[in-house]
């Protein structure tokens, strides 16, 4: 078969591929990451590249103008390699892979919840599942030939009251040397069982007293991003944290595209390897920056959604996307981190967060645990917003949950100039009251490159309140506005003129963009409404809303109410917890009581599948307006709009 | 560095080695096995080879005569490679590696004990630790989204009363496909815990009903030989068996040489690999001959002495040979066979027999279990004789044990023409009452090549009873006997003249050979005596003697009493059990009750270290005669000898 060489710049990576392979596949194979939101179906138009040398053709697509095409622009997923090529991957198509992500810092518009470890300690709940115990064993002599393990068990039983222990072969292998090197003074690491009646297990032994060195890592495995924290198991102090884009994004941006990729020959194993690579990069940085010896990391606690969990564990996720949407398991056994390919020590265990259903995963359970919702007296609505929105309602007595597909709009997908909250993303927008010219703020203050999810909400809310967009999400073309124009039959609003951008093109907001946003927010809103209905509650009875997730942290509450994204509630009742999944993962490595509770929570939580809840579709259609067909659901907004209306109408 | 090629014949294997490497090392590397009893120290003189081409020198040694040396004979361990060589490995130096061993068939001189599985069944004890259960799960639909694992657990709990189960990740990985392939009808394999209160664990799942296919393998890992049996877990029927020489014999014949080798750089890992290779050859044959699918083997039960166990598990055995002789562990956790390198299925567990001490290993515990001693009303003396002799005394109420080093004499070590019980080994000997010429029987009826342990006992006993050897183990040179001669200062008896042998040299019995035998039998006898003394018993109170082990099976009881090898007892009270270790291993895979009992037995058995029992040395010295300094301990023999004496003296 004929082969061609493809060189990617600015990476300067070359690869030889068989004739006919797609440019996207070639890039994946070369380790060059191109932002392929739709998983390579020509749908999202994100994988724009410039073929600088060589002849290439690509199918006609409305994602490229004739000018683009003539300038060498191609969609990587639609372009077959039929020549030796030099391909430039522009910054806008390149994911943030390799770079490090900032930790999400919630807006200061409401109080931020933090874990209270002092309280945990006071309640006596601060008992990490991995405990180190220092032992001083009697030295064997002619009157005492006990085996090393027997000697240790005897001591732990008589001196520490630890009976009925299990022990790993790896520990037995180390023991003869470790005991003698330390003159029979040693430190053993015990893994405590989830259920207090079950056996503890000895997973490591070290010479001398190492009880002061006992660390853990918490990992939040998101579809898009992975965050890790290294902390001390003695006092819960965080030593380091690190976030990176999940290497799997090159294989599709949402869980469905990942599942489809996993169904291909070798796809599951490939996705498993890729996510483990990202995890290992994070683990490596956490260790090297903190100076913690890998031997001293006792456990890694991992929370992720159901698909991310199954991909990491190498469990085929195909049934997640097929009715009746059945996950493989709710609860996974504790594993060895090394058995998952994670480069930690031989003894380090991996605790996998239990999950509820195919679309309410371990990340949500972790959020419910980390936020303390499951122990709260208050009737609480917990919302984690991303490509999927997961919603939990309840308190310490009962819990119910559901999940809805918001689509990729909040993460920039399906939005013409949508992007993630990376430098250059428009994240705040307002109108000059005099000139009606936009005022923008971008992430990192960089020149604009696109618009991120929170920026989109704000922009649409501002344009709606100023009647540039009407309640159907259409531009009000009656008004003369130099920024409003029609392009190829689509009405759009120019947010930034080309010369002020970093990408050399006008950045615009189109009516299809607004439609996508409305569908996304409508899904979330109607999800909340349906879940509340199913459990016989109304929003007015909710005492607290917890917003979780990186995206949730950036939301401007006022704007979210304005577009009808969230049920309107007193902002004082809203709490931001940032990365609830990471918080919960961390907690599970700090208190064994929580690990016992988690299994209970997973068992007691009632899951509603919206696709099988008939009222959902009615709620959804009613929510496909700004803010809603029924403005009375948003009394504060209604008051404000009438006031403005008055102000405008009065003169 | 200069390199030379060494060709081994008749194997016709060549290898290139660095100048100065020993011939023994070259042979090991080439996979050519040479019988190196002493582990390569020039001590045993077993590794005789003929250098047919090329120049080689070897250190002077009393193991080779000048004639031998001039004829090209060398000790492989003492010969450095300094030229391209062609080396012939004579049959007598080559271990039986590669070939298959016969199962030991005990002599029919006493009744042979067999396992009674019908009795086990009747007692309700026949509950294998690996159980297969057929399940017919409800098919998921819109009203039932339970995860696959949850669905299975639910069924097992409600339909089978199986609560609180654990499950392996490997099973979760298989489950989505296996369940759907079989339309939610499947067979799960449960591993039952040793302790009935603990959790059962799901280790495998298969589509459809596979409950009729459930097999196990038992392995006896001996220092010299490894035996395996494949049997059905439904009815205990043995489908196949196979024995091979432990590949480790090339690295030393006894446990001490193996431990010394294991202490070298990479030695432990090498010995681990080598024994696993032998195990895998046996497992491969058991499977291919029986036609059993490797997927259907649920467990492998393994018994071995302490050193063999630690080497197989990769646990450094150095402390076994150093005072105070401490093993790493008494009880090992259940493992996955694959984690040990054994080529069985992913789910197949390995059950390792618990052990008592450094010199009373899992093989002995297995023998105590397999023979039923631990459940016997009779006061029983259990003796397993090999390079080491392990002795257990007790009944169902109490057990005590000890071990003594008999040395390699019973296996042919330290005996000039000693060899294992392989074809050509003299195994029976008598004197023609008229001509006083020997009558011989060899293993397999082959031309004589040497003498094995049981042959040695018989020969010395016959020569002693006929006063050719006196009670000090010296030849009676007063008598004229054409077969008695002195060679290089050593008195010897020609058993076979050169022209009647397979090796072209006179096969003789020397006074040092007799000394070695007396020391060996003295160690065993005084071991029994010391142990009985320590627990306050005398031999007359013993109601049964159980002889275990391949060597034990071949012993002629009468002859053994004659040389004072065993305490004299009514032969009707002696039982042979053959390979008790294999028998016990098999039982542990058939009845979980036994696995519970084993841990109890290990805990309750009192171990005496002879080296720390002062009376042992006195008993030992008293036993260094034929049969003993105190002939009154052997009343039957005494009577027989006086009768003979009378017969001789009377005329």
């Amino acid at each position: 078969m004929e082969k061609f060489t493809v060189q990617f710049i600015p990476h300067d990576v070359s690869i030889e591929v068989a004739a006919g392979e797609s440019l996207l596949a070639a890039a994946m194979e070369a380790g060059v990451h191109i932002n392929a939101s739709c998983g390579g179906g020509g749908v999202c138009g994100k994988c724009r590249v410039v073929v600088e040398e060589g002849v290439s053709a690509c199918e006609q697509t409305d994602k490229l103008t004739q000018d683009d095409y003539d300038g060498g622009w191609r969609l990587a997923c639609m372009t077959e390699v039929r020549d030796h090529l030099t391909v430039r991957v522009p910054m806008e198509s390149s994911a943030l892979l390799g770079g490090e992500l900032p930790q999400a810092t919630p807006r200061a518009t409401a109080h931020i919840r933090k874990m209270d470890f002092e309280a945990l300690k006071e309640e006596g709940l601060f008992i990490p599942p991995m405990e180190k115990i220092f032992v001083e064993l009697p030295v064997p002599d002619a009157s005492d030939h006990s085996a090393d393990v027997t000697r240790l068990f005897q001591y732990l039983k008589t001196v520490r009251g630890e009976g009925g222990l299990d022990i790993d072969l790896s520990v037995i292998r180390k023991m003869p040397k470790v005991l003698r090197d330390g003159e029979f003074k040693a430190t053993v690491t015990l893994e405590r069982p989830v259920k207090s009646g079950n056996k503890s297990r000895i997973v490591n032994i070290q010479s001398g007293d190492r009880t002061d060195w006992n660390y853990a890592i918490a990992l939040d495995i998101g579809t898009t991003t992975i965050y890790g924290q290294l902390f001390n198991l003695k006092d819960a102090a965080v030593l380091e944290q690190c976030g990176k884009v999940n290497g799997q994004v090159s294989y599709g941006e949402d869980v469905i595209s990942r599942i489809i990729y996993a169904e291909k020959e070798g796809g599951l194993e490939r996705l498993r390897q890729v996510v483990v690579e990202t995890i290992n990069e994070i683990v490596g940085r956490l260790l090297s920056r903190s100076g913690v010896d890998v031997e001293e990391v006792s456990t890694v606690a991992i929370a992720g959604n159901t698909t991310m969990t199954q991909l990491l564990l190498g469990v085929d996720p195909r049934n997640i996307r097929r009715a009746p949407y059945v996950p493989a398991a709710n609860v996974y056994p504790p594993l060895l981190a090394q058995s998952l390919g994670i480069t930690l020590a031989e003894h380090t265990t991996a605790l996998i967060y239990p999950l509820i259903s195919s679309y309410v995963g371990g990340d949500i359970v972790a959020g419910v645990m980390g936020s303390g919702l499951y122990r709260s007296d208050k009737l609480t609505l917990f919302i984690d917003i991303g490509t999927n929105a997961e919603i939990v309602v309840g308190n310490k007595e009962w819990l119910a949950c559901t999940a809805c597909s918001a689509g990729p709009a909040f993460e920039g997908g399906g939005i013409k100039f949508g992007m993630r909250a990376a430098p250059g993303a428009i994240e705040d927008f307002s109108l000059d009251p005099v000139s009606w010219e936009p005022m923008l703020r971008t992430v990192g203050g960089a020149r604009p490159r696109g618009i991120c999810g929170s920026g989109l909400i704000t922009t649409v809310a501002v344009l709606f309140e100023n009647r540039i967009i009407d309640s159907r999400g259409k531009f009000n073309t009656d008004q003369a506005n130099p920024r409003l124009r029609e392009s190829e039959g689509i009405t759009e609003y120019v947010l930034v003129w080309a010369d002020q951008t970093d990408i050399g093109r006008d950045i615009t907001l189109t009516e299809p963009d607004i439609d996508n946003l409305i569908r996304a927010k409508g899904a979330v809103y109607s999800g909340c409404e349906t879940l509340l209905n199913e459990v016989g509650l109304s929003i007015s009875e909710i005492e607290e809303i917890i917003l979780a997730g990186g995206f949730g942290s950036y939301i401007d509450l006022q704007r979210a109410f304005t577009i009808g994204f969230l049920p309107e509630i007193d902002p004082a009742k809203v709490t931001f917890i940032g990365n609830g999944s990471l918080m919960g993962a961390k907690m599970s490595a700090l208190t064994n009581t929580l690990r016992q509770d988690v299994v209970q929570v997973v068992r007691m939580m009632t899951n509603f599948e919206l696709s099988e809840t008939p009222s959902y579709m009615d709620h959804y259609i009613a929510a496909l307006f700004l803010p809603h067909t029924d403005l009375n659901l948003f009394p504060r907004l209604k008051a404000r709009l009438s006031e403005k209306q008055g102000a405008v109408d009065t003169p």
Side-chain angles (χ1 to χ4, degrees), chain A:
Chain A
M1 187 181 285
E2 209 174 356
K3 297 235 175 192
F4 296 108
T5 302
V6 182
Q7 184 195 16
F8 292 95
I9 52 176
H11 314 71
D12 197 23
V13 173
S14 292
I15 190 158
E16 200 176 57
V17 298
E21 193 167 339
S22 83
L23 262 184
L24 187 62
M28 282 180 183
E29 217 178 317
V32 170
H33 293 273
I34 295 177
N35 198 342
S37 307
C38 65
V43 179
C44 71
K46 287 291 173 57
C47 58
R48 291 163 57 103
V49 295
V50 188
V51 176
E52 299 207 335
E53 283 175 41
V55 176
S56 78
C58 128
E59 279 181 56
Q60 281 299 73
T61 162
D62 59 0
K63 304 292 171 193
L64 291 174
T65 65
Q66 194 57 46
D67 275 2
D68 285 343
Y69 195 89
D70 296 344
W73 289 92
R74 298 289 182 273
L75 295 188
C77 70
M78 310 275 283
T79 306
E80 294 183 351
V81 178
R82 300 274 175 209
D83 192 5
H84 299 296
L85 302 177
T86 299
V87 177
R88 173 172 298 280
V89 181
M91 278 301 283
E92 57 181 309
S93 292
S94 168
L96 273 174
L97 285 157
E100 209 169 300
L101 299 172
Q103 298 289 322
T105 314
R107 282 169 183 255
T109 50
H111 88 272
I112 296 164
R113 186 177 300 204
K114 288 224 166 118
M115 272 189 288
D116 188 349
F117 290 105
E118 290 309 316
L120 270 185
K121 276 187 190 169
E122 275 167 31
E123 290 184 60
L125 301 180
F126 187 18
I127 308 161
M130 312 302 291
E131 188 182 350
K132 283 193 171 189
I133 295 181
F134 177 58
V135 299
E136 294 181 274
L137 307 183
V139 178
D141 60 24
S143 69
D144 174 10
H145 309 268
S146 307
D148 291 345
V149 173
T150 308
R151 182 175 307 275
L152 173 64
F153 278 24
Q154 198 72 30
Y155 176 94
L156 287 171
K157 189 167 188 177
T158 55
V159 180
R160 303 290 301 239
E162 298 279 354
L165 297 167
D166 278 334
I167 187 164
D168 288 350
L169 177 60
S170 58
V171 183
I172 302 178
R173 284 185 176 142
K174 282 182 192 174
M175 196 174 289
K177 184 167 190 327
V178 163
L179 284 183
R180 286 161 186 81
D181 283 355
E183 292 169 332
F184 287 83
K185 293 178 181 61
T187 302
V188 292
T189 307
L190 285 187
E191 183 195 32
R192 298 301 188 184
V194 176
K195 219 167 148 190
S196 52
N198 293 335
K199 285 183 164 189
S200 293
R201 197 163 61 97
I202 301 177
V203 298
N204 198 25
I205 187 163
Q206 299 169 289
S207 290
D209 186 353
R210 301 295 296 170
T211 48
D212 279 349
W213 290 264
N214 195 8
Y215 300 92
I217 289 174
L219 288 174
D220 161 45
I221 315 287
T223 310
T224 307
T225 53
I226 301 182
Y227 287 96
Q229 266 187 354
L230 175 74
F231 52 99
N232 196 321
L233 283 175
K234 281 187 76 98
D235 57 8
V238 173
L239 278 74
E240 276 299 339
Q241 45 194 6
C242 175
K244 290 181 79 73
V245 169
N246 184 337
Q248 290 179 345
V249 295
S250 304
Y251 300 83
E253 291 216 352
D254 56 26
V255 295
I256 299 301
S257 339
R258 304 274 172 88
I259 295 173
I260 292 171
Y261 188 88
E263 291 175 21
K264 296 179 184 174
E265 174 91 24
L268 173 59
E269 178 53 20
R270 180 79 195 127
L271 290 182
R272 199 192 64 71
Q273 285 170 359
V274 166
V275 71
V276 168
E277 274 169 32
T278 306
I279 290 172
N280 284 338
E281 286 169 22
I282 290 172
V283 165
R285 290 195 194 191
L286 293 174
L287 291 175
S288 64
R289 283 190 204 150
S290 62
V292 166
D293 183 347
V294 67
E295 269 295 308
E296 307 289 8
V297 178
S298 295
T299 192
V300 53
I302 299 175
N305 64 45
T306 305
T307 303
M308 289 305 108
T309 302
Q310 292 199 194
L311 290 178
L312 172 62
L313 299 181
V315 179
D316 188 347
R318 70 180 61 223
N319 299 310
I320 291 176
R321 77 176 184 100
R322 288 180 169 81
Y325 317 111
V326 174
N330 295 117
V331 181
Y332 285 89
L335 303 162
L336 288 173
Q338 282 193 356
S339 75
L340 300 177
I342 300 176
T343 50
L344 285 164
E346 187 184 28
H347 64 273
T348 307
T349 53
L351 307 174
I352 310 294
Y353 241 89
L355 50 93
I356 305 289
S357 66
S358 278
Y359 294 103
V360 180
D363 52 345
I364 301 309
V365 180
V368 167
M369 307 310 289
S371 67
L373 160 55
Y374 79 110
R375 302 175 68 208
S376 173
D377 293 317
K378 290 187 190 168
L379 195 52
T380 307
L381 188 64
F382 174 101
I383 312 176
D384 190 313
I385 304 153
T387 309
N388 283 286
E390 294 92 355
I391 307 161
V392 181
V393 65
N395 55 23
K396 67 180 179 187
E397 304 291 341
W398 62 274
L399 290 165
C401 66
T402 196
C404 55
S405 171
F410 301 138
E411 285 169 353
I415 307 299
K416 189 169 183 186
F417 287 89
M419 65 181 286
R420 296 199 200 94
I426 297 168
E427 60 168 344
D428 212 347
F429 178 92
S430 59
L431 284 178
D432 184 293
V434 178
S435 66
W436 276 39
E437 272 295 281
M439 294 197 301
L440 303 175
R441 203 163 51 77
T442 62
V443 175
R447 277 173 82 99
R449 292 178 46 221
I451 186 164
C452 66
S454 58
L456 185 67
I457 290 170
T458 298
T459 303
V460 171
V462 166
L463 293 176
F464 170 64
E465 282 209 41
N466 286 284
R467 298 204 290 169
I468 294 170
I469 297 174
D470 66 18
S471 66
R472 294 167 307 133
K474 302 298 170 201
F475 285 111
N476 188 347
T477 46
D478 299 345
Q479 300 176 348
N481 189 321
R483 287 181 177 261
L484 271 180
R485 69 186 185 197
E486 203 180 289
S487 168
E488 298 183 9
I490 291 171
T491 309
E492 61 183 20
Y493 177 90
V494 180
L495 294 167
V496 196
W497 299 107
D499 58 356
Q500 289 158 35
T501 71
D502 195 43
I503 58 172
R505 292 184 292 150
D506 292 347
I507 296 175
T508 63
L509 175 74
T510 69
E511 278 187 352
D513 291 347
I514 302 169
D515 272 357
N516 280 332
L517 176 65
I518 289 178
R519 278 198 293 271
K521 74 93 193 171
V524 176
Y525 184 88
S526 53
C528 293
E529 214 178 1
T530 309
L531 180 62
L532 288 172
N533 262 24
E534 290 291 317
V535 298
L537 289 174
S538 75
I539 186 69
S540 60
E541 293 170 82
I542 296 297
E543 297 168 273
E544 179 172 17
I545 288 184
I546 297 176
L547 285 182
F551 173 65
S553 306
Y554 288 112
I555 288 180
D556 180 325
L557 266 188
Q558 205 62 59
R559 308 303 191 193
F561 294 146
T562 300
I563 67 162
F565 182 9
L566 295 174
E568 197 174 73
I569 190 175
D570 176 2
K573 292 183 177 172
V574 179
T575 307
F576 292 84
I577 59 160
N579 192 331
S581 169
L582 190 64
M583 194 186 270
K586 182 179 171 190
M587 276 186 72
S588 77
L590 285 168
T591 148
N592 227 16
T593 319
L594 182 94
R595 288 176 69 214
Q596 298 187 31
D597 293 346
V598 164
V599 177
Q600 275 311 105
V601 164
V602 166
R603 288 217 185 104
M604 79 188 245
M605 201 177 309
T606 311
N607 180 53
F608 292 92
E609 288 288 337
L610 289 184
S611 60
E612 285 145 15
T613 310
S615 66
Y616 178 61
M617 196 42 74
D618 299 335
H619 289 300
Y620 176 62
I621 288 167
L624 292 181
F625 286 82
L626 295 175
H628 194 274
T629 39
D630 182 2
L631 190 58
N632 291 322
L633 292 168
F634 295 80
R636 287 189 190 80
L637 173 65
K638 189 180 177 187
R640 209 162 63 247
L641 286 180
S642 353
E643 198 180 307
K644 268 204 176 172
Q645 196 79 20
V648 171
D649 288 349
T650 311

